[in-house]
Amino acid sequence: MRLSQLFVTAACISTTFAWNTFTVAHSPGQDDTPALVQALPDLAANTSIVFKKGVTYNLFTPIKFPVLNNVEIVIEGNLTYPEDIATVQGALSWDHKLWNATETVTGIYLAYAGHQSFPGSWLTFSGGNNVTLRGSTDPQWGWIDGHGQAWWDAARGTSGLANRPHGIAFSKITNGVIRDMKLWKPVAWNFATSGSSNLHVFNNRIHAVSNSDAFPFNTDGFSAGGQNMLFEKNVVQNGDDCLTVGNGAKNIVFRDSYCQGGHGLSIGSLGKGGQIADVQNVMIENVVMVSTLYGARFKSWTGGNGLARNITWKNIAFHDVPFPIYVTQNYWDQNTGPMPNSTNLNNTHIQDFLFENFVGDIKDTPYVEGSCVTDPCWYSVPNATGKEVAILDLYPGTASNIRAEDIFARTQSGASVAVMCDPKTVDSDVGFKCWDGTFIRTPGGL
């Protein structure tokens, strides 16, 4: 089945139930989370939870929602997280008896990021059916301010501070919607959808842009985990993957979006520690990539197992991108040192990959990308000229039916466009001459 035939259900809140509307209370200068937490057990079904327009709410402690059924969270006002790093990383600020009572009675965990019970994200969804997270189309309201700049400045020259809170874990939701959300300078890791199915994620904006020379590490946009998901009309300005598709993901569509400054449209990483990968049916199309490190990217670890199959990147416009197409089965954590010498011949297999209609310019002039914290930089590719439109770093016998069609690229320096590809690792015409040399289109690339 081609991905164009996939149908991703857009969930909606049912109107056949008696419906409640709960407006979150605000106390100036105080933490607004506890009052909401106390009310949540009575709001877990058939309810709109509203942060009203005109109010800036203080979410000074994270929230783990209970399982929800027919619930929408409406963020029409602004939300602010703690401005102070020490506050986020520090110990609990209230009495442990209150902590234990709250945890026992409501099942909702409130903790700072350094506490062992911290759920990982500032907003954590535990699961449910027919759940909507909705922001605002008003440009002045509906923002979540993560105050990430202080974290990025404090970590300048490193790959980030410890105990950084993730953003929003929209987990184990069936029939869900994330729409019109706006994130301002989030600390790290924004939307994750692990274990969810039938999601429609659209018209969201992530602005993780530093106003200093500090880099916004790990500000991943959308981490797609689960099945049957449609992401569209999203804008992501960040310092890591615009999209990353994780293990177990199936039937994922990401389209009609804009990515700037991050690390591209990624599958993986997969297969770490011998993990068995299973990613199938991914369509990424109609995306503009500006000043990203990568365009289309696949990454799996040496020693991995399993299969990534039927993945398409189509209609990708790119500008100022060093690596428009990059596929590697040699991924490792370059922050820990040089690539390990491995005798393990296992690798995550890849099958039916298509890169179609890529148009743009390759950044081949000297640069140091902001995430460079190693020497050589972690993204350095041995023997690459920096002029490659496509790099296929594959193992023999592990890749089947990899194609690049209608690739139109130029270098910013005016030099000839190149490719890197070992002909011993491919089983068919990949659309260009498979060698380390000039990009020469073949019949398969027409």
Side-chain angles (χ1 to χ4, degrees):
M1 178 177 66
R2 296 300 299 168
L3 280 165
S4 59
Q5 298 174 289
L6 289 176
F7 178 75
V8 180
T9 301
C12 62
I13 296 295
S14 172
T15 58
T16 60
F17 301 93
W19 201 262
N20 302 310
T21 299
F22 176 86
T23 301
V24 179
H26 169 60
S27 298
Q30 302 300 310
D31 186 359
D32 294 321
T33 297
L36 172 59
V37 166
Q38 293 299 322
L40 276 176
D42 297 323
L43 307 176
N46 309 327
T47 301
S48 293
I49 301 172
V50 180
F51 295 86
K52 67 180 180 180
K53 183 176 179 178
V55 176
T56 297
Y57 290 86
N58 301 317
L59 295 195
F60 290 164
T61 44
I63 302 172
K64 184 176 182 180
F65 291 94
V67 174
L68 305 174
N69 186 42
N70 302 322
V71 171
E72 64 172 355
I73 291 86
V74 184
I75 302 175
E76 295 178 343
N78 292 333
L79 310 183
T80 180
Y81 297 167
E83 297 185 31
D84 182 64
I85 295 173
T87 298
V88 177
Q89 292 184 320
L92 294 172
S93 63
W94 53 81
D95 187 271
H96 283 272
K97 293 181 180 178
L98 174 60
W99 161 265
N100 292 331
T102 302
E103 184 176 27
T104 301
V105 173
T106 69
I108 299 162
Y109 300 84
L110 297 176
Y112 290 108
H115 190 275
Q116 62 181 358
S117 295
F118 175 58
S121 299
W122 215 252
L123 297 179
T124 300
F125 291 78
S126 306
N129 182 52
N130 285 344
V131 178
T132 292
L133 177 61
R134 174 162 61 89
S136 172
T137 58
D138 187 318
Q140 302 300 319
W141 294 99
W143 288 92
I144 299 178
D145 189 348
H147 302 286
Q149 187 69 52
W151 293 75
W152 308 333
D153 288 342
R156 185 185 277 105
T158 72
S159 57
L161 299 180
N163 290 334
R164 289 173 291 169
H166 291 219
I168 300 171
F170 202 72
S171 305
K172 300 177 183 177
I173 301 294
T174 300
N175 303 320
V177 171
I178 303 173
R179 60 172 296 179
D180 303 323
M181 295 290 294
K182 300 191 292 290
L183 309 186
W184 181 262
K185 296 200 174 187
V187 176
W189 300 288
N190 291 295
F191 291 100
T193 62
S194 177
S196 292
S197 62
N198 297 338
L199 298 189
H200 191 192
V201 182
F202 67 99
N203 200 35
N204 302 288
R205 179 168 185 177
I206 298 168
H207 185 89
V209 179
S210 176
N211 59 11
S212 73
D213 61 354
F215 191 76
F217 280 95
N218 302 121
T219 48
D220 300 64
F222 298 96
S223 298
Q227 302 184 33
N228 302 327
M229 298 182 183
L230 172 59
F231 299 80
E232 60 181 344
K233 301 178 181 177
N234 298 297
V235 174
V236 179
Q237 297 168 280
N238 69 337
D240 213 302
D241 295 326
C242 180
L243 167 73
T244 180
V245 179
N247 189 32
K250 297 179 181 179
N251 303 337
I252 307 295
V253 177
F254 185 92
R255 68 189 184 193
D256 303 333
S257 295
Y258 176 87
C259 304
Q260 180 180 329
H263 291 168
L265 303 164
S266 300
I267 310 296
S269 62
L270 304 176
K272 184 177 182 180
Q275 178 191 53
I276 299 175
D278 182 15
V279 174
Q280 298 185 41
N281 303 333
V282 179
M283 169 65 83
I284 301 169
E285 63 177 340
N286 304 333
V287 182
V288 175
M289 312 294 293
V290 175
S291 300
T292 57
L293 183 60
Y294 300 94
R297 184 186 187 198
F298 173 86
K299 45 183 176 174
S300 63
W301 295 68
T302 298
N305 294 277
L307 174 66
R309 184 183 71 83
N310 195 23
I311 299 171
T312 296
W313 294 260
K314 180 179 180 180
N315 300 337
I316 308 298
F318 60 93
H319 167 62
D320 200 39
V321 175
F323 301 100
I325 299 172
Y326 184 81
V327 177
T328 181
Q329 296 170 307
N330 251 331
Y331 187 76
W332 80 100
D333 186 356
Q334 284 106 322
N335 287 323
T336 63
M339 182 174 64
N341 293 320
S342 175
T343 58
N344 189 338
L345 300 180
N346 286 351
N347 284 283
T348 302
H349 285 228
I350 60 177
Q351 177 182 320
D352 302 330
F353 277 26
L354 174 62
F355 306 90
E356 181 180 357
N357 195 29
F358 277 61
V359 180
D361 62 273
I362 303 166
K363 184 180 183 69
D364 69 322
T365 53
Y367 69 94
V368 177
E369 201 265 346
S371 63
C372 178
V373 294
T374 58
D375 186 14
C377 288
W378 66 267
Y379 49 79
S380 176
V381 178
N383 302 317
T385 66
K387 307 179 188 307
E388 287 82 8
V389 68
I391 296 177
L392 303 184
D393 177 23
L394 306 172
Y395 285 92
T398 62
S400 175
N401 191 26
I402 311 300
R403 293 176 293 134
E405 300 178 1
D406 296 326
I407 307 299
F408 300 96
R410 63 177 179 83
T411 61
Q412 292 181 349
S413 70
S416 297
V417 175
V419 294
M420 292 185 73
C421 178
D422 182 349
K424 297 189 297 295
T425 64
V426 298
D427 64 354
S428 59
D429 182 353
V430 298
F432 54 83
K433 182 177 179 180
C434 183
W435 68 332
D436 294 354
T438 303
F439 172 67
I440 301 173
R441 188 175 286 105
T442 57
L446 302 177

